[in-house]
Amino acid sequence: MSMKELLESLKSNGYKITEQRKSIIQVLTSYNNKFISVETLFNESKKIYSKTNMSTVYRNLEILENLNLIHKILTKEGISLYQLISTTTHHHHIICKRCGKTEVIDFCPISSFEKLSKNKNFTLTDHKFELYGYCFNCENLKDS
Amino acid sequence: MSMKELLESLKSNGYKITEQRKSIIQVLTSYNNKFISVETLFNESKKIYSKTNMSTVYRNLEILENLNLIHKILTKEGISLYQLISTTTHHHHIICKRCGKTEVIDFCPISSFEKLSKNKNFTLTDHKFELYGYCFNCENLKDS
DNA sequence: TTATATGCAAAAGATTTGCAATATA
DNA sequence: TATATTGCAAATCTTTTGCATATAA
């Protein structure tokens, strides 16, 4: 989703367009389908609009998440990562544990489980499928 | 893995067997393949050995994780959950977002991706596949 | 006996919140 | 102008750490 569309979405939900919001959204869109940490988002946003404050970043991430415009994951190390929700196809990721390089996997194993979960009387709402490892570069640099 | 085996494993790695450790491991084993939060683990451990301290719980969870005896996940809400690593088959979970009820899925979608990741020059090391939703009970209680 | 483990309290790090000031519509 | 938004600082929550004391082997 483009910056313009995201701002429209906020506006149509009654939110005002502030410089801070614009800077946050600009950074998010520039990251496309990649995950970004709160700290990086904060630092990058400040480069665009220097007054952006950390509380503002958190508050806006919450708004965007509630509007289903961004997606949050927490790494095992406790780092919160956000990414824009893709408007194209549903997909998952391979994530490099060293450099964070993220590649899209255009396949989702969920369909096989819709039946299974019915058998278990489970209503599925979310799922997570992520592959972790090392990209070619990092694999070769790993021990250096 | 049984409590006895876990204690053996600690002992053979040079760790001493303390009452605190026993209480923590007893709770973990009683939870089998289910996830338990640090707070619950702490509270349950205290019921068995009242002197167990929160720092001790954290320190022992770290030891057990390093020995590859337990597995940690972080929920989107930032809650750390631990479970004993099953010595039986590799599997994944369906987790109820309301009551935490966890059921085992004895299928893993990873094999389909081993080839794919090679094409992408990615060395796979870990993966995560979790289904979230509501179990039958919670589905019906959700809005109450 | 001696190294490991623990308890306690303080520190650290991430996130949230109250409130007064500010900016958008 | 009225209401939503922000900045700041303090509060909160989880986890970690230093150090003196206790305990398993």
Side-chain angles (χ1 to χ4, degrees):
Chain A
M1 210 182 257
S2 70
M3 173 145 177
K4 191 175 276 186
E5 289 172 302
L6 289 165
L7 292 176
E8 276 309 315
S9 190
L10 282 174
K11 204 182 278 185
S12 65
N13 279 281
Y15 294 101
K16 293 175 178 172
I17 306 307
T18 64
E19 290 306 313
Q20 290 87 337
R21 242 160 222 175
K22 280 198 272 183
S23 73
I24 291 165
I25 287 179
Q26 188 174 329
V27 175
L28 282 171
T29 54
S30 77
Y31 265 67
N32 266 312
N33 284 327
K34 313 215 172 170
F35 288 102
I36 185 171
S37 69
V38 180
E39 206 185 343
T40 305
L41 176 54
F42 173 55
N43 290 329
E44 295 296 310
S45 297
K46 273 201 299 196
K47 288 186 194 162
I48 296 167
Y49 185 69
S50 66
K51 285 204 249 161
T52 303
N53 182 277
M54 188 59 112
S55 320
T56 302
V57 170
Y58 277 109
R59 283 192 268 231
N60 278 289
L61 285 173
E62 198 189 345
I63 289 171
L64 293 168
E65 204 187 359
N66 289 338
L67 291 178
N68 242 290
L69 297 171
I70 57 173
H71 175 224
K72 173 185 183 176
I73 61 167
L74 255 179
T75 69
K76 212 191 258 186
E77 288 71 32
I79 315 236
S80 295
L81 300 177
Y82 289 86
Q83 67 172 164
L84 277 180
I85 284 177
S86 162
T87 51
T88 59
T89 50
H90 176 81
H91 60 250
H92 294 281
H93 296 93
I94 297 187
I95 302 150
C96 178
K97 296 202 292 185
R98 190 169 183 281
C99 73
K101 181 179 171 184
T102 307
E103 295 209 26
V104 168
I105 308 164
D106 51 6
F107 171 84
C108 172
I110 194 69
S111 56
S112 341
F113 291 97
E114 276 162 355
K115 236 180 297 167
L116 177 64
S117 62
K118 261 184 207 140
N119 293 342
K120 287 191 185 282
N121 271 326
F122 237 96
T123 310
L124 286 183
T125 58
D126 310 294
H127 62 283
K128 198 184 272 186
F129 179 50
E130 285 155 17
L131 304 177
Y132 295 91
Y134 295 100
C135 66
F136 183 73
N137 273 343
C138 293
E139 177 63 26
N140 294 302
L141 289 169
K142 215 166 41 176
D143 302 315
S144 59
Chain B
M1 210 182 257
S2 71
M3 173 145 177
K4 192 174 275 184
E5 291 172 298
L6 288 166
L7 292 175
E8 277 309 318
S9 190
L10 281 174
K11 203 182 278 183
S12 65
N13 279 281
Y15 294 101
K16 295 175 176 172
I17 306 307
T18 63
E19 291 306 314
Q20 290 88 336
R21 243 161 221 173
K22 280 198 273 183
S23 72
I24 290 165
I25 287 179
Q26 189 175 326
V27 175
L28 281 171
T29 55
S30 77
Y31 264 67
N32 267 313
N33 283 329
K34 313 217 174 170
F35 287 102
I36 185 172
S37 69
V38 179
E39 205 185 344
T40 305
L41 175 54
F42 172 55
N43 290 327
E44 295 296 311
S45 298
K46 272 200 300 197
K47 288 186 191 161
I48 296 167
Y49 185 69
S50 66
K51 285 203 249 162
T52 305
N53 182 277
M54 188 58 112
S55 319
T56 302
V57 171
Y58 275 109
R59 282 191 269 232
N60 279 289
L61 285 173
E62 197 189 346
I63 290 170
L64 293 168
E65 204 188 357
N66 289 338
L67 292 177
N68 243 289
L69 298 171
I70 56 172
H71 174 225
K72 174 185 184 178
I73 61 166
L74 256 179
T75 69
K76 212 190 258 187
E77 288 70 32
I79 315 235
S80 295
L81 299 177
Y82 288 86
Q83 67 173 163
L84 278 180
I85 282 178
S86 162
T87 52
T88 60
T89 49
H90 175 80
H91 60 250
H92 295 279
H93 295 93
I94 297 188
I95 303 149
C96 178
K97 296 201 292 184
R98 190 171 184 278
C99 72
K101 180 179 173 186
T102 307
E103 295 210 25
V104 169
I105 308 164
D106 52 6
F107 171 84
C108 173
I110 193 72
S111 57
S112 341
F113 291 97
E114 276 162 356
K115 234 180 298 164
L116 176 65
S117 62
K118 261 184 207 138
N119 293 342
K120 287 190 186 283
N121 272 324
F122 237 97
T123 310
L124 285 184
T125 58
D126 309 295
H127 63 283
K128 197 183 271 182
F129 179 51
E130 285 154 14
L131 304 178
Y132 294 90
Y134 296 99
C135 67
F136 184 73
N137 273 344
C138 292
E139 176 64 26
N140 294 302
L141 290 168
K142 216 164 39 174
D143 301 315
S144 59

